[in-house]
Amino acid sequence: TQTVSQSDAHVTVFEGDSVELRCNYSYGGSIYLSWYIQHHGRGLQFLLKYYSGNPVVQGVNGFEAEFSKSDSSFHLRKASVHWSDSAVYFCAAKNNYAQGLTFGLGTRVSVFP
Amino acid sequence: GALVYQYPRRTICKSGTSMRMECQAVGFQATSVAWYRQSPQKTFELIALSTVNSAIKYEQNFTQEKFPISHPNLSFSSMTVLNAYLEDRGLYLCGAKGLGAETLYFGSGTRLTVL
């Protein structure tokens, strides 16, 4: 079974702090990884993706993620969070055999002033 | 840029009735449309993947008889929830992508409440 694990259900940070959200996957072969953000009651907004090349990818609003094949990870980071970054973040993965993306359970980020 | 509009945003239906939701891609050709459901306190489950000029592929636990999908062209898709019951409530999302692409761009979702 192909799975995507997000170990932290909820992360609390203060505005200006850095944050790292963890994502691990259990796929074999070539893998496509992405992060999405869901603000309260809204749909999913695409943040960034990795398929090949530079393992560190840049996304919107200062987010970046780093792919690690040895750790089977694709952690998301931001150096300085803003209150508007409060949302639920979903890691998603797909390999060549899967129809669609498989999502993790999400990590809720609460940013306090 | 790539935008996906989904409507209605919210809908309420009586148990046993049906409701239809629609998805429109703007700025790109939606060769494939994936329909997902986010049930309360859960993550996103893939219902089906629809590709223009190909058969719609449903995931396990989801059927065409329950969730019929139409994908008539490169900008529009719709899905109906037939005979909705309490377990069908949740946020339904359509995600669209272009030919050869992997990135899905999602609409804002349709939140279904079943009474």
Side-chain angles (χ1 to χ4, degrees):
Chain A
T1 303
Q2 298 158 335
T3 61
V4 176
S5 301
Q6 294 181 243
S7 55
D8 300 312
H10 192 187
V11 171
T12 301
V13 290
F14 289 95
E15 204 164 23
D17 284 353
S18 63
V19 70
E20 179 177 87
L21 308 182
R22 292 183 290 227
C23 174
N24 292 87
Y25 61 90
S26 65
Y27 283 75
S30 297
I31 189 165
Y32 170 86
L33 295 153
S34 54
W35 278 92
Y36 287 85
I37 180 173
Q38 183 185 34
H39 286 102
H40 180 68
R42 307 282 296 276
L44 289 173
Q45 178 186 351
F46 173 76
L47 279 181
L48 46 74
K49 66 181 179 185
Y50 171 82
Y51 184 69
S52 64
N54 189 336
V56 179
V57 291
Q58 306 295 324
V60 298
N61 296 336
F63 285 97
E64 70 172 30
E66 183 168 3
F67 168 71
S68 170
K69 187 174 182 178
S70 59
D71 293 340
S72 298
S73 68
F74 189 55
H75 302 330
L76 181 71
R77 299 188 294 250
K78 185 169 182 177
S80 177
V81 296
H82 186 261
W83 64 267
S84 60
D85 294 324
S86 296
V88 182
Y89 291 77
F90 290 92
C91 180
K94 178 185 179 301
N95 66 10
N96 290 336
Y97 307 104
Q99 277 208 106
L101 292 171
T102 296
F103 285 86
L105 292 178
T107 298
R108 179 176 298 279
V109 174
S110 297
V111 181
F112 290 93
Chain B
L3 292 172
V4 176
Y5 293 100
Q6 188 174 346
Y7 33 87
R9 292 290 298 273
R10 296 176 181 274
T11 186
I12 301 172
C13 67
K14 288 185 178 180
S15 183
T17 64
S18 302
M19 68 80 53
R20 170 183 152 117
M21 56 195 79
E22 299 180 343
C23 182
Q24 182 143 18
V26 176
F28 70 108
Q29 293 184 326
T31 307
S32 296
V33 175
W35 287 91
Y36 284 83
R37 178 174 71 191
Q38 184 185 35
S39 300
Q41 310 305 321
K42 288 187 178 180
T43 191
F44 296 91
E45 295 178 276
L46 178 64
I47 297 171
L49 180 69
S50 170
T51 301
V52 171
N53 297 326
S54 294
I56 299 170
K57 298 177 183 176
Y58 286 82
E59 290 291 284
Q60 197 172 11
N61 301 327
F62 297 97
T63 65
Q64 182 181 6
E65 290 70 32
K66 174 72 174 177
F67 300 97
I69 290 169
S70 171
H71 189 183
N73 56 52
L74 292 171
S75 64
F76 181 82
S77 178
S78 67
M79 184 178 75
T80 302
V81 181
L82 293 175
N83 300 317
Y85 288 98
L86 195 61
E87 59 265 26
D88 295 319
R89 62 191 172 130
L91 180 68
Y92 288 80
L93 283 178
C94 69
K97 61 180 181 177
L99 182 65
E102 289 291 0
T103 300
L104 279 172
Y105 293 97
F106 286 89
S108 54
T110 297
R111 187 166 296 281
L112 173 62
T113 300
V114 181
L115 301 178

